[in-house]
Amino acid sequence: MSRLKIAHLSDPHFGTILPGVTEGLIASLQEIAPDLILITGDITQRARARQFRAAKAFTHALKPTPFIAVPGNHDIPLFNIFVRLFDPYRGFRKLFKDQLEKDFVYGDVAVIGLASTSRWRHIQGDFDIPRIRKRFAAHKFDARVRIAAFHHPMDCAKYIDEKNLLRGRENAMTLFDQAQVDLVVGGHIHDPYITLSDDRYPHVRRRMILAVAGTCLSWRTRVGAPNSFNLIEVATDQTPRITISRMDIGANQRFTPNGVHHFERGDGGWSPG
């Protein structure tokens, strides 16, 4: 049995941050004291060295809390074509100790980090499905709850964001179904959204939770979506339960709940609980 509290941050875009926001997020996270901080990509705005240095200072300020992160499309250089082609994740690997995809296992909960970016795509993401299948097969996660984390979203609230959803997502969802994934988290569109998989993916037998986090630090916010992150709480005692709270920034630069979703798992997968 496990109780795990995850601060799911996304799209900080170091290089586009207003004064005081970083300090407010650090103070809020220290108050919440999560068991894991998960960052789903776009750590930087343009994958520049100074932006990765700012991200490093941020991660150091939150030690000793465990961190895992996956890259976003902005973490690959856009204008430095040579680096983009031959060493696209150089800055990211240096920051996160050469780990492009990292997992975190806490009791019987597993968080599996996946890279959905590509040097060949500026915006959209895609999976090499055979590679991801081998990755799941190689990791015999003895977990009651499995969380897949990557940058690009699997669902969205607004039609304008349809173009930003993961390419090949139907095949990815089939794979997640086979791997018994419970929760899929991402970012990219800066518009927080939490839903179940059955509306968009009726072919998937087992309902999963799909969660998108907003931008936690950048001024590049959406209408109605200020800086925010998702606080995910997982409990595996008896019936597995997941609670996701959207944490929005306030006037005092602290992040507080703005909407809470409760889910529990039954025979057909996850339902509001």
Side-chain angles (χ1 to χ4, degrees), residues 61-94:
L62 291 169
K63 288 183 174 181
T65 305
F67 260 93
I68 65 172
V70 293
N73 52 292
H74 278 259
D75 298 319
I76 301 174
L78 180 60
F79 302 112
N80 189 332
I81 302 302
F82 182 85
V83 174
R84 184 178 186 90
L85 291 178
F86 297 103
D87 196 5
Y89 299 106
R90 180 171 65 188
F92 184 92
R93 289 184 183 277
K94 185 175 180 180

Side-chain angles (χ1 to χ4, degrees), residues 194-198 207-209 240-242 260-266 269-273:
I194 299 167
T195 188
L196 290 168
S197 61
D198 48 353
R207 285 188 304 276
M208 300 173 220
I209 307 165
R241 301 182 305 280
I242 293 177
V260 181
H261 297 258
H262 300 275
F263 301 95
E264 63 179 34
R265 193 173 70 197
W270 291 85
S271 301

Side-chain angles (χ1 to χ4, degrees), residues 2 12 27-28 38 69 100 138 149 152 154 163 165 175 189 196-197 207 212 219 222 244:
S2 300
S28 298
L38 166 65
L100 199 63
H152 292 86
M154 300 296 281
K163 65 182 182 297
L165 298 182
L175 174 58
I189 56 177
L196 290 168
S197 61
R207 285 188 304 276
V212 180
W219 53 257
R222 303 282 294 272
I244 305 177

